mmCIF file of all heavy atoms in Angstrom:
data_model
loop_
_atom_site.group_PDB
_atom_site.id
_atom_site.type_symbol
_atom_site.label_atom_id
_atom_site.label_comp_id
_atom_site.label_asym_id
_atom_site.label_seq_id
_atom_site.Cartn_x
_atom_site.Cartn_y
_atom_site.Cartn_z
ATOM 1 N N LEU B 1 -75.818 -72.335 31.647
ATOM 2 C CA LEU B 1 -76.825 -72.269 30.616
ATOM 3 C C LEU B 1 -77.019 -70.857 30.180
ATOM 4 O O LEU B 1 -77.237 -70.548 28.984
ATOM 5 C CB LEU B 1 -78.130 -72.853 31.188
ATOM 6 C CG LEU B 1 -78.171 -74.319 31.442
ATOM 7 C CD1 LEU B 1 -79.436 -74.721 32.152
ATOM 8 C CD2 LEU B 1 -77.917 -75.192 30.211
ATOM 9 N N ASN B 2 -76.985 -69.910 31.087
ATOM 10 C CA ASN B 2 -77.140 -68.523 30.758
ATOM 11 C C ASN B 2 -76.050 -67.972 29.897
ATOM 12 O O ASN B 2 -76.270 -67.181 28.950
ATOM 13 C CB ASN B 2 -77.203 -67.655 32.068
ATOM 14 C CG ASN B 2 -77.528 -66.167 31.804
ATOM 15 O OD1 ASN B 2 -78.515 -65.864 31.181
ATOM 16 N ND2 ASN B 2 -76.649 -65.334 32.256
ATOM 17 N N LYS B 3 -74.839 -68.465 30.159
ATOM 18 C CA LYS B 3 -73.664 -67.959 29.386
ATOM 19 C C LYS B 3 -73.515 -68.626 27.997
ATOM 20 O O LYS B 3 -73.212 -67.925 27.090
ATOM 21 C CB LYS B 3 -72.438 -68.240 30.209
ATOM 22 C CG LYS B 3 -71.141 -67.817 29.544
ATOM 23 C CD LYS B 3 -69.940 -68.083 30.433
ATOM 24 C CE LYS B 3 -68.625 -67.646 29.736
ATOM 25 N NZ LYS B 3 -67.439 -67.916 30.616
ATOM 26 N N ASN B 4 -73.831 -69.956 27.959
ATOM 27 C CA ASN B 4 -73.479 -70.687 26.727
ATOM 28 C C ASN B 4 -74.723 -71.074 25.871
ATOM 29 O O ASN B 4 -74.506 -71.538 24.743
ATOM 30 C CB ASN B 4 -72.796 -71.978 27.096
ATOM 31 C CG ASN B 4 -71.424 -71.727 27.723
ATOM 32 O OD1 ASN B 4 -70.893 -70.626 27.638
ATOM 33 N ND2 ASN B 4 -70.850 -72.760 28.337
ATOM 34 N N ASN B 5 -75.879 -70.942 26.383
ATOM 35 C CA ASN B 5 -77.092 -71.438 25.684
ATOM 36 C C ASN B 5 -78.125 -70.310 25.592
ATOM 37 O O ASN B 5 -79.074 -70.254 26.325
ATOM 38 C CB ASN B 5 -77.646 -72.608 26.417
ATOM 39 C CG ASN B 5 -76.584 -73.745 26.688
ATOM 40 O OD1 ASN B 5 -75.940 -73.786 27.689
ATOM 41 N ND2 ASN B 5 -76.358 -74.553 25.642
ATOM 42 N N PRO B 6 -77.936 -69.455 24.608
ATOM 43 C CA PRO B 6 -78.819 -68.202 24.533
ATOM 44 C C PRO B 6 -80.234 -68.510 24.222
ATOM 45 O O PRO B 6 -81.107 -67.583 24.476
ATOM 46 C CB PRO B 6 -78.105 -67.419 23.398
ATOM 47 C CG PRO B 6 -77.425 -68.461 22.563
ATOM 48 C CD PRO B 6 -76.938 -69.439 23.537
ATOM 49 N N ASN B 7 -80.574 -69.652 23.733
ATOM 50 C CA ASN B 7 -82.011 -70.000 23.416
ATOM 51 C C ASN B 7 -82.662 -70.864 24.435
ATOM 52 O O ASN B 7 -83.660 -71.462 24.173
ATOM 53 C CB ASN B 7 -82.030 -70.584 22.006
ATOM 54 C CG ASN B 7 -81.580 -69.641 20.929
ATOM 55 O OD1 ASN B 7 -81.891 -68.411 21.012
ATOM 56 N ND2 ASN B 7 -80.731 -70.095 19.951
ATOM 57 N N VAL B 8 -82.071 -70.970 25.592
ATOM 58 C CA VAL B 8 -82.639 -71.707 26.717
ATOM 59 C C VAL B 8 -83.316 -70.732 27.668
ATOM 60 O O VAL B 8 -82.736 -69.687 28.004
ATOM 61 C CB VAL B 8 -81.540 -72.487 27.436
ATOM 62 C CG1 VAL B 8 -82.008 -72.949 28.856
ATOM 63 C CG2 VAL B 8 -81.170 -73.762 26.645
ATOM 64 N N ALA B 9 -84.521 -71.077 28.096
ATOM 65 C CA ALA B 9 -85.171 -70.395 29.241
ATOM 66 C C ALA B 9 -85.147 -71.326 30.415
ATOM 67 O O ALA B 9 -85.710 -72.418 30.349
ATOM 68 C CB ALA B 9 -86.597 -70.043 28.832
ATOM 69 N N SER B 10 -84.430 -70.939 31.493
ATOM 70 C CA SER B 10 -84.284 -71.808 32.676
ATOM 71 C C SER B 10 -84.993 -71.329 33.855
ATOM 72 O O SER B 10 -85.216 -70.075 34.058
ATOM 73 C CB SER B 10 -82.818 -71.994 32.972
ATOM 74 O OG SER B 10 -82.225 -70.773 33.449
ATOM 75 N N TYR B 11 -85.463 -72.279 34.709
ATOM 76 C CA TYR B 11 -86.304 -71.927 35.882
ATOM 77 C C TYR B 11 -85.842 -72.848 37.026
ATOM 78 O O TYR B 11 -85.657 -74.064 36.846
ATOM 79 C CB TYR B 11 -87.773 -72.210 35.596
ATOM 80 C CG TYR B 11 -88.306 -71.449 34.424
ATOM 81 C CD1 TYR B 11 -88.168 -71.948 33.140
ATOM 82 C CD2 TYR B 11 -88.982 -70.245 34.580
ATOM 83 C CE1 TYR B 11 -88.638 -71.242 32.016
ATOM 84 C CE2 TYR B 11 -89.456 -69.505 33.463
ATOM 85 C CZ TYR B 11 -89.275 -70.022 32.214
ATOM 86 O OH TYR B 11 -89.786 -69.325 31.093
ATOM 87 N N ILE B 12 -85.725 -72.247 38.224
ATOM 88 C CA ILE B 12 -85.404 -73.100 39.367
ATOM 89 C C ILE B 12 -86.695 -73.413 40.082
ATOM 90 O O ILE B 12 -87.599 -72.645 40.202
ATOM 91 C CB ILE B 12 -84.448 -72.289 40.323
ATOM 92 C CG1 ILE B 12 -83.972 -73.162 41.480
ATOM 93 C CG2 ILE B 12 -85.107 -70.999 40.886
ATOM 94 C CD1 ILE B 12 -82.866 -72.585 42.307
ATOM 95 N N HIS B 13 -86.724 -74.632 40.534
ATOM 96 C CA HIS B 13 -87.956 -75.137 41.253
ATOM 97 C C HIS B 13 -88.084 -74.456 42.595
ATOM 98 O O HIS B 13 -87.138 -74.463 43.376
ATOM 99 C CB HIS B 13 -87.917 -76.596 41.427
ATOM 100 C CG HIS B 13 -89.099 -77.212 42.062
ATOM 101 N ND1 HIS B 13 -88.992 -78.144 43.109
ATOM 102 C CD2 HIS B 13 -90.386 -76.955 41.948
ATOM 103 C CE1 HIS B 13 -90.247 -78.398 43.561
ATOM 104 N NE2 HIS B 13 -91.093 -77.722 42.881
ATOM 105 N N ALA B 14 -89.202 -73.852 42.850
ATOM 106 C CA ALA B 14 -89.408 -73.090 44.111
ATOM 107 C C ALA B 14 -90.488 -73.649 44.993
ATOM 108 O O ALA B 14 -91.015 -72.980 45.882
ATOM 109 C CB ALA B 14 -89.744 -71.637 43.775
ATOM 110 N N GLY B 15 -90.879 -74.909 44.757
ATOM 111 C CA GLY B 15 -91.937 -75.499 45.626
ATOM 112 C C GLY B 15 -93.336 -75.358 45.040
ATOM 113 O O GLY B 15 -93.582 -75.694 43.852
ATOM 114 N N ASN B 16 -94.234 -74.863 45.832
ATOM 115 C CA ASN B 16 -95.657 -74.651 45.336
ATOM 116 C C ASN B 16 -96.212 -73.381 45.840
ATOM 117 O O ASN B 16 -95.566 -72.665 46.547
ATOM 118 C CB ASN B 16 -96.460 -75.898 45.826
ATOM 119 C CG ASN B 16 -96.413 -76.058 47.324
ATOM 120 O OD1 ASN B 16 -96.714 -75.200 48.086
ATOM 121 N ND2 ASN B 16 -96.004 -77.228 47.759
ATOM 122 N N GLY B 17 -97.390 -73.097 45.440
ATOM 123 C CA GLY B 17 -98.068 -71.795 45.773
ATOM 124 C C GLY B 17 -98.183 -71.570 47.273
ATOM 125 O O GLY B 17 -97.989 -70.428 47.785
ATOM 126 N N SER B 18 -98.475 -72.626 47.970
ATOM 127 C CA SER B 18 -98.638 -72.527 49.383
ATOM 128 C C SER B 18 -97.292 -72.184 50.079
ATOM 129 O O SER B 18 -97.174 -71.333 50.917
ATOM 130 C CB SER B 18 -99.167 -73.847 49.989
ATOM 131 O OG SER B 18 -99.262 -73.775 51.385
ATOM 132 N N LEU B 19 -96.244 -72.925 49.627
ATOM 133 C CA LEU B 19 -94.874 -72.708 50.178
ATOM 134 C C LEU B 19 -94.382 -71.257 49.989
ATOM 135 O O LEU B 19 -93.919 -70.603 50.870
ATOM 136 C CB LEU B 19 -93.950 -73.726 49.566
ATOM 137 C CG LEU B 19 -92.592 -73.864 50.340
ATOM 138 C CD1 LEU B 19 -92.760 -74.570 51.676
ATOM 139 C CD2 LEU B 19 -91.650 -74.659 49.476
ATOM 140 N N VAL B 20 -94.513 -70.786 48.756
ATOM 141 C CA VAL B 20 -93.978 -69.413 48.439
ATOM 142 C C VAL B 20 -94.804 -68.346 49.089
ATOM 143 O O VAL B 20 -94.314 -67.193 49.212
ATOM 144 C CB VAL B 20 -93.865 -69.232 46.867
ATOM 145 C CG1 VAL B 20 -92.887 -70.199 46.309
ATOM 146 C CG2 VAL B 20 -95.172 -69.216 46.167
ATOM 147 N N THR B 21 -96.055 -68.659 49.451
ATOM 148 C CA THR B 21 -96.906 -67.642 50.114
ATOM 149 C C THR B 21 -96.630 -67.673 51.578
ATOM 150 O O THR B 21 -96.473 -66.586 52.213
ATOM 151 C CB THR B 21 -98.385 -67.979 49.884
ATOM 152 O OG1 THR B 21 -98.618 -67.909 48.460
ATOM 153 C CG2 THR B 21 -99.266 -67.004 50.611
ATOM 154 N N GLN B 22 -96.506 -68.850 52.215
ATOM 155 C CA GLN B 22 -96.361 -68.905 53.658
ATOM 156 C C GLN B 22 -94.909 -68.762 54.132
ATOM 157 O O GLN B 22 -94.680 -68.363 55.273
ATOM 158 C CB GLN B 22 -96.877 -70.294 54.155
ATOM 159 C CG GLN B 22 -98.398 -70.466 53.967
ATOM 160 C CD GLN B 22 -98.832 -71.861 54.340
ATOM 161 O OE1 GLN B 22 -98.192 -72.524 55.059
ATOM 162 N NE2 GLN B 22 -99.939 -72.265 53.776
ATOM 163 N N HIS B 23 -93.964 -69.016 53.221
ATOM 164 C CA HIS B 23 -92.532 -68.909 53.627
ATOM 165 C C HIS B 23 -91.796 -68.109 52.548
ATOM 166 O O HIS B 23 -90.757 -68.502 52.072
ATOM 167 C CB HIS B 23 -91.957 -70.286 53.808
ATOM 168 C CG HIS B 23 -92.640 -71.183 54.752
ATOM 169 N ND1 HIS B 23 -92.508 -71.003 56.109
ATOM 170 C CD2 HIS B 23 -93.578 -72.106 54.624
ATOM 171 C CE1 HIS B 23 -93.256 -71.862 56.757
ATOM 172 N NE2 HIS B 23 -93.979 -72.567 55.864
ATOM 173 N N SER B 24 -92.292 -66.961 52.197
ATOM 174 C CA SER B 24 -91.731 -66.200 51.109
ATOM 175 C C SER B 24 -90.273 -65.841 51.289
ATOM 176 O O SER B 24 -89.461 -65.982 50.375
ATOM 177 C CB SER B 24 -92.520 -64.903 50.920
ATOM 178 O OG SER B 24 -93.884 -65.164 50.652
ATOM 179 N N GLU B 25 -89.927 -65.413 52.485
ATOM 180 C CA GLU B 25 -88.523 -65.015 52.736
ATOM 181 C C GLU B 25 -87.585 -66.162 52.583
ATOM 182 O O GLU B 25 -86.548 -66.090 51.925
ATOM 183 C CB GLU B 25 -88.421 -64.422 54.158
ATOM 184 C CG GLU B 25 -86.982 -64.028 54.532
ATOM 185 C CD GLU B 25 -86.406 -62.765 53.893
ATOM 186 O OE1 GLU B 25 -87.201 -62.099 53.176
ATOM 187 O OE2 GLU B 25 -85.217 -62.499 54.074
ATOM 188 N N ALA B 26 -87.946 -67.330 53.198
ATOM 189 C CA ALA B 26 -87.072 -68.493 53.152
ATOM 190 C C ALA B 26 -86.929 -68.988 51.747
ATOM 191 O O ALA B 26 -85.803 -69.302 51.281
ATOM 192 C CB ALA B 26 -87.598 -69.592 54.056
ATOM 193 N N VAL B 27 -87.940 -69.056 50.989
ATOM 194 C CA VAL B 27 -87.883 -69.553 49.611
ATOM 195 C C VAL B 27 -87.152 -68.579 48.699
ATOM 196 O O VAL B 27 -86.281 -68.963 47.854
ATOM 197 C CB VAL B 27 -89.299 -69.869 49.034
ATOM 198 C CG1 VAL B 27 -89.149 -70.345 47.574
ATOM 199 C CG2 VAL B 27 -90.026 -70.887 49.864
ATOM 200 N N ALA B 28 -87.397 -67.278 48.984
ATOM 201 C CA ALA B 28 -86.697 -66.255 48.149
ATOM 202 C C ALA B 28 -85.189 -66.397 48.339
ATOM 203 O O ALA B 28 -84.414 -66.406 47.421
ATOM 204 C CB ALA B 28 -87.204 -64.920 48.452
ATOM 205 N N ASN B 29 -84.757 -66.485 49.642
ATOM 206 C CA ASN B 29 -83.306 -66.635 49.878
ATOM 207 C C ASN B 29 -82.765 -67.897 49.249
ATOM 208 O O ASN B 29 -81.652 -67.875 48.696
ATOM 209 C CB ASN B 29 -83.085 -66.643 51.373
ATOM 210 C CG ASN B 29 -83.246 -65.289 52.084
ATOM 211 O OD1 ASN B 29 -83.188 -64.282 51.400
ATOM 212 N ND2 ASN B 29 -83.535 -65.322 53.331
ATOM 213 N N ALA B 30 -83.571 -68.986 49.332
ATOM 214 C CA ALA B 30 -83.088 -70.221 48.774
ATOM 215 C C ALA B 30 -82.818 -70.166 47.281
ATOM 216 O O ALA B 30 -81.815 -70.695 46.746
ATOM 217 C CB ALA B 30 -84.081 -71.332 49.070
ATOM 218 N N ILE B 31 -83.782 -69.579 46.520
ATOM 219 C CA ILE B 31 -83.564 -69.529 45.076
ATOM 220 C C ILE B 31 -82.622 -68.457 44.631
ATOM 221 O O ILE B 31 -81.930 -68.602 43.616
ATOM 222 C CB ILE B 31 -84.966 -69.399 44.282
ATOM 223 C CG1 ILE B 31 -85.634 -68.056 44.560
ATOM 224 C CG2 ILE B 31 -85.844 -70.570 44.677
ATOM 225 C CD1 ILE B 31 -86.863 -67.868 43.741
ATOM 226 N N ILE B 32 -82.524 -67.325 45.397
ATOM 227 C CA ILE B 32 -81.557 -66.311 45.102
ATOM 228 C C ILE B 32 -80.132 -66.947 45.309
ATOM 229 O O ILE B 32 -79.269 -66.789 44.499
ATOM 230 C CB ILE B 32 -81.764 -65.139 45.991
ATOM 231 C CG1 ILE B 32 -83.002 -64.350 45.568
ATOM 232 C CG2 ILE B 32 -80.542 -64.163 45.905
ATOM 233 C CD1 ILE B 32 -83.452 -63.280 46.488
ATOM 234 N N ASP B 33 -79.947 -67.611 46.430
ATOM 235 C CA ASP B 33 -78.647 -68.313 46.671
ATOM 236 C C ASP B 33 -78.371 -69.303 45.639
ATOM 237 O O ASP B 33 -77.184 -69.591 45.281
ATOM 238 C CB ASP B 33 -78.645 -68.927 48.073
ATOM 239 C CG ASP B 33 -78.716 -67.946 49.166
ATOM 240 O OD1 ASP B 33 -78.455 -66.732 48.913
ATOM 241 O OD2 ASP B 33 -79.051 -68.323 50.324
ATOM 242 N N GLY B 34 -79.446 -69.899 45.078
ATOM 243 C CA GLY B 34 -79.231 -70.973 44.019
ATOM 244 C C GLY B 34 -79.115 -70.424 42.573
ATOM 245 O O GLY B 34 -79.190 -71.203 41.679
ATOM 246 N N GLY B 35 -78.976 -69.134 42.454
ATOM 247 C CA GLY B 35 -78.605 -68.617 41.090
ATOM 248 C C GLY B 35 -79.730 -67.992 40.338
ATOM 249 O O GLY B 35 -79.775 -67.952 39.114
ATOM 250 N N LEU B 36 -80.743 -67.503 40.990
ATOM 251 C CA LEU B 36 -81.943 -66.930 40.296
ATOM 252 C C LEU B 36 -81.493 -65.818 39.353
ATOM 253 O O LEU B 36 -82.136 -65.660 38.265
ATOM 254 C CB LEU B 36 -82.916 -66.345 41.361
ATOM 255 C CG LEU B 36 -84.155 -65.613 40.733
ATOM 256 C CD1 LEU B 36 -85.038 -66.561 39.974
ATOM 257 C CD2 LEU B 36 -84.961 -64.925 41.869
ATOM 258 N N LYS B 37 -80.421 -65.068 39.643
ATOM 259 C CA LYS B 37 -79.974 -63.978 38.839
ATOM 260 C C LYS B 37 -79.625 -64.443 37.408
ATOM 261 O O LYS B 37 -79.572 -63.653 36.468
ATOM 262 C CB LYS B 37 -78.870 -63.214 39.433
ATOM 263 C CG LYS B 37 -77.571 -63.993 39.559
ATOM 264 C CD LYS B 37 -76.467 -63.177 40.226
ATOM 265 C CE LYS B 37 -75.192 -63.891 40.376
ATOM 266 N NZ LYS B 37 -74.157 -63.098 41.046
ATOM 267 N N TYR B 38 -79.350 -65.713 37.212
ATOM 268 C CA TYR B 38 -78.952 -66.260 35.899
ATOM 269 C C TYR B 38 -80.154 -66.865 35.144
ATOM 270 O O TYR B 38 -79.916 -67.345 34.061
ATOM 271 C CB TYR B 38 -77.884 -67.337 36.065
ATOM 272 C CG TYR B 38 -76.641 -66.819 36.736
ATOM 273 C CD1 TYR B 38 -76.222 -67.345 37.937
ATOM 274 C CD2 TYR B 38 -75.817 -65.828 36.155
ATOM 275 C CE1 TYR B 38 -75.081 -66.866 38.561
ATOM 276 C CE2 TYR B 38 -74.665 -65.378 36.788
ATOM 277 C CZ TYR B 38 -74.285 -65.917 37.945
ATOM 278 O OH TYR B 38 -73.173 -65.421 38.623
ATOM 279 N N MET B 39 -81.345 -66.879 35.777
ATOM 280 C CA MET B 39 -82.459 -67.591 35.221
ATOM 281 C C MET B 39 -83.599 -66.737 34.791
ATOM 282 O O MET B 39 -83.647 -65.516 35.158
ATOM 283 C CB MET B 39 -82.965 -68.609 36.222
ATOM 284 C CG MET B 39 -81.928 -69.577 36.660
ATOM 285 S SD MET B 39 -82.632 -70.845 37.857
ATOM 286 C CE MET B 39 -81.272 -70.947 39.045
ATOM 287 N N ARG B 40 -84.497 -67.215 34.000
ATOM 288 C CA ARG B 40 -85.670 -66.494 33.620
ATOM 289 C C ARG B 40 -86.615 -66.381 34.862
ATOM 290 O O ARG B 40 -87.337 -65.372 34.939
ATOM 291 C CB ARG B 40 -86.372 -67.253 32.502
ATOM 292 C CG ARG B 40 -87.773 -66.817 32.113
ATOM 293 C CD ARG B 40 -87.748 -65.502 31.281
ATOM 294 N NE ARG B 40 -89.110 -65.210 30.838
ATOM 295 C CZ ARG B 40 -89.371 -64.047 30.232
ATOM 296 N NH1 ARG B 40 -88.460 -63.159 29.975
ATOM 297 N NH2 ARG B 40 -90.633 -63.853 29.849
ATOM 298 N N GLY B 41 -86.667 -67.342 35.707
ATOM 299 C CA GLY B 41 -87.484 -67.325 36.846
ATOM 300 C C GLY B 41 -87.613 -68.580 37.614
ATOM 301 O O GLY B 41 -86.562 -69.301 37.798
ATOM 302 N N PHE B 42 -88.765 -68.949 38.020
ATOM 303 C CA PHE B 42 -88.941 -70.146 38.880
ATOM 304 C C PHE B 42 -90.090 -71.050 38.364
ATOM 305 O O PHE B 42 -90.891 -70.614 37.562
ATOM 306 C CB PHE B 42 -89.190 -69.769 40.342
ATOM 307 C CG PHE B 42 -90.405 -68.920 40.585
ATOM 308 C CD1 PHE B 42 -91.635 -69.530 40.813
ATOM 309 C CD2 PHE B 42 -90.337 -67.522 40.506
ATOM 310 C CE1 PHE B 42 -92.791 -68.694 41.019
ATOM 311 C CE2 PHE B 42 -91.490 -66.723 40.734
ATOM 312 C CZ PHE B 42 -92.675 -67.321 40.995
ATOM 313 N N ALA B 43 -90.103 -72.320 38.846
ATOM 314 C CA ALA B 43 -91.136 -73.242 38.506
ATOM 315 C C ALA B 43 -91.921 -73.620 39.777
ATOM 316 O O ALA B 43 -91.261 -73.825 40.849
ATOM 317 C CB ALA B 43 -90.562 -74.477 37.848
ATOM 318 N N LEU B 44 -93.189 -73.811 39.668
ATOM 319 C CA LEU B 44 -94.040 -74.220 40.799
ATOM 320 C C LEU B 44 -94.790 -75.525 40.533
ATOM 321 O O LEU B 44 -95.045 -75.803 39.315
ATOM 322 C CB LEU B 44 -95.078 -73.183 41.211
ATOM 323 C CG LEU B 44 -94.579 -71.858 41.888
ATOM 324 C CD1 LEU B 44 -95.796 -71.103 42.417
ATOM 325 C CD2 LEU B 44 -93.624 -72.169 43.065
#
């Protein structure tokens, strides 16, 4: 999507506010491994 669809804003699902607060390292690794560098960000 990042390469072929310039007018798309994409987000990877990262759980919820509680999860990203209590398990920041685990969730961060999970979404980084899942291609965060190609996305606008994450969805909660």
